[in-house]
Amino acid sequence: MSSYISLLLFAATVLADCECGYTVNSTSSTDFALFTDLFETDFLHLHDVTYNTSYSTGWIPQNYNTSANDGSGPYGMAKQSTNLLPNYLLSPSNYVDGGVKNRDPGLQLYVRSSLLQQPADQPALVPLAEIVSERDDILYGSFRIAMKTSPINGTCAAFYFYCNDSQELDVEISGAEQMSASKHGPVHFVAQNTITEDGLAGSKQFVDELLSPPSDDYNEYRFDCEYAASRTPRETLSETSADGFFSRTKGLPGRVDFYVNGKLLSSTTENVPSSPGRIHISHWSNGNPSWSRGPPLSDAVMTVSYVKAYFNSTNLTRSNEYSAACASLKKPTISDQTCEIPAQLTAPNPFGPDGNFTGTFFFSDHPSMTPNQTIYQPKENSATDNMITMSRTQYILIMLVTGQIATWGRPLF
């Protein structure tokens, strides 16, 4: 063991990591995706999601109403930040009594059963929860959420990228569908296009059956999106083309791949977004009998333990910073300048000692792996308080030795 630790310490002294971004699949693969930016949130240790100018978690709680007519349901919707409740762990590395609220740990998003009555000529509003990324410059990437949904009939759990009604990628789970004895719990993957009253016309939708009800456990839901026209500045790479850009797609069509716990379930080359947007997490109901149903007869809660996003930015300042940082590097190959994103191949359960770390991995817990990135950390009880900074080489060796990583995933295309 002593020689193993010596090897890890030596590796840390000879490598800096991730200066030029993060990749889906190894750079030795002919099909790898390179993304310049990172946005990770460990909701197991986040005490507050309040948005203000002096402190930001990277998320903006939503507070506004949508009428029944605008929301295509018999009820309107009232998005309220009071329905977003952090249920953080007191210990930075242990699952302790279900969090401070004695329930599943993470960010809780509630849909309430008590409706907000409106004037007599208007339908009541369903109180619910939604939170949106502060960054709106997100274009293409790998987007991942670990969540445990509600088993209560009458709500919908949603994780999605949104630019507009014709450029949207959705992961949605209906509580009503879990009530069916013939189904464990289907997950819906949707690449939106033209929106009509049913919300699906012109869209590409997949329905995949889960191995167990999504309300029984935390699962990682993921979608990877890249477009053939996506080209990343790579002045320092031998693979650069004449115009100074590195193009990973090699003329392949745009594609979106949908995963659960690292397993590819569906793919499409239709309706791939081409404009920047934000990431949304929502737990909602509008009484639509063909989808969310409800409202729920009792308060329903879904819980999120983390969100991870690795993406390209359309912000010119950010793009210039990235190009300048990578241009200054003298490393010989792309593999020395980027970090491969580990595939989450099992359900990311935060149970037992160090459950949140053995269950998943955060680059943002290790400063050497997030150079030139915006890192949002909890105000208190940061998960990094008692952690040793670790290099990419150390991480790979540790994961291989402990058997945490069984494979590095399949090609994106």
Side-chain angles (χ1 to χ4, degrees):
M1 180 61 73
S2 60
S3 61
Y4 168 62
I5 296 201
S6 298
L7 174 62
L8 296 185
L9 293 176
F10 173 75
T13 64
V14 297
L15 278 181
D17 302 300
C18 315
E19 298 95 333
C20 289
Y22 308 88
T23 66
V24 174
N25 301 319
S26 169
T27 56
S28 62
S29 168
T30 57
D31 294 317
F32 72 91
L34 171 64
F35 301 116
T36 63
D37 284 47
L38 166 152
F39 174 36
E40 297 177 328
T41 303
D42 173 12
F43 285 111
L44 295 178
H45 298 95
L46 193 62
H47 287 212
D48 188 6
V49 292
T50 302
Y51 179 77
N52 57 61
T53 56
S54 62
Y55 173 82
S56 174
T57 63
W59 295 97
I60 305 174
Q62 299 298 285
N63 287 284
Y64 67 91
N65 296 341
T66 301
S67 69
N69 183 59
D70 290 340
S72 301
Y75 296 93
M77 296 179 286
K79 299 177 181 179
Q80 302 172 325
S81 59
T82 53
N83 294 321
L84 293 160
L85 301 179
N87 186 29
Y88 53 87
L89 299 175
L90 291 173
S91 168
S93 60
N94 289 284
Y95 177 88
V96 181
D97 298 329
V100 294
K101 301 183 186 304
N102 232 2
R103 298 190 64 172
D104 295 319
L107 179 64
Q108 298 178 332
L109 291 86
Y110 276 88
V111 176
R112 304 295 184 180
S113 56
S114 297
L115 304 182
L116 301 179
Q117 299 302 321
Q118 300 299 292
D121 60 339
Q122 298 180 28
L125 304 177
V126 183
L128 53 92
E130 182 170 335
I131 195 165
V132 178
S133 67
E134 182 178 354
R135 294 191 65 163
D136 61 358
D137 58 329
I138 298 169
L139 182 59
Y140 317 121
S142 182
F143 308 96
R144 311 166 186 214
I145 187 172
M147 65 179 177
K148 185 175 182 180
T149 66
S150 173
I152 296 175
N153 184 10
T155 74
C156 177
F159 173 60
Y160 58 103
F161 165 88
Y162 183 84
C163 170
N164 55 49
D165 285 348
S166 62
Q167 298 198 64
E168 179 179 350
L169 300 172
D170 295 287
V171 177
E172 293 192 313
I173 299 174
S174 166
E177 290 187 325
Q178 295 181 59
M179 306 297 290
S180 171
S182 63
K183 295 181 179 181
H184 285 302
V187 56
H188 294 252
F189 300 119
V190 184
Q192 297 276 17
N193 193 349
T194 304
I195 297 298
T196 60
E197 287 187 1
D198 64 6
L200 296 175
S203 298
K204 190 69 176 179
Q205 180 178 210
F206 305 91
V207 181
D208 290 291
E209 198 71 21
L210 299 174
L211 296 178
S212 62
S215 58
D216 282 0
D217 220 336
Y218 295 83
N219 292 286
E220 184 189 83
Y221 304 91
R222 163 186 162 193
F223 54 91
D224 293 352
C225 172
E226 185 153 329
Y227 193 64
S230 173
R231 297 164 68 78
T232 304
R234 301 298 302 120
E235 291 85 351
T236 61
L237 297 180
S238 60
E239 296 94 336
T240 52
S241 58
D243 62 0
F245 283 78
F246 173 74
S247 178
R248 192 203 62 78
T249 55
K250 298 182 176 65
L252 293 173
R255 180 163 174 165
V256 182
D257 288 343
F258 297 98
Y259 299 78
V260 175
N261 295 331
K263 180 181 179 181
L264 178 68
L265 296 183
S266 296
S267 298
T268 182
T269 57
E270 298 180 33
N271 305 336
V272 179
S274 58
S275 297
R278 302 179 190 263
I279 302 169
H280 294 240
I281 310 170
S282 181
H283 191 202
W284 62 274
S285 176
N286 65 356
N288 188 321
S290 64
W291 184 229
S292 74
R293 306 184 193 179
L297 297 180
S298 59
D299 289 353
V301 60
M302 65 174 272
T303 306
V304 177
S305 65
Y306 67 73
V307 167
K308 304 177 185 181
Y310 310 93
F311 60 95
N312 291 332
S313 171
T314 59
N315 181 281
L316 182 60
T317 299
R318 173 62 193 138
S319 297
N320 289 338
E321 290 173 350
Y322 170 83
S323 297
C326 290
S328 66
L329 296 176
K330 303 301 181 183
K331 295 181 180 179
T333 66
I334 185 175
S335 61
D336 292 330
Q337 302 174 77
T338 59
C339 290
E340 183 179 352
I341 307 163
Q344 182 69 41
L345 302 178
T346 59
N349 296 319
F351 301 107
D354 300 319
N356 52 312
F357 299 119
T358 58
T360 194
F361 176 80
F362 296 97
F363 288 109
S364 50
D365 282 335
H366 310 285
S368 66
M369 306 185 86
T370 53
N372 201 35
Q373 297 289 335
T374 300
I375 303 300
Y376 304 94
Q377 293 286 11
K379 288 183 180 179
E380 305 174 57
N381 285 18
S382 170
T384 62
D385 286 349
N386 299 310
M387 292 195 65
I388 300 173
T389 298
M390 176 170 54
S391 75
R392 178 188 69 242
T393 302
Q394 287 176 294
Y395 168 66
I396 293 174
L397 288 173
I398 289 174
M399 293 297 102
L400 290 175
V401 169
T402 59
Q404 292 297 316
I405 300 297
T407 179
W408 290 96
R410 65 174 293 282
L412 181 63
F413 292 122

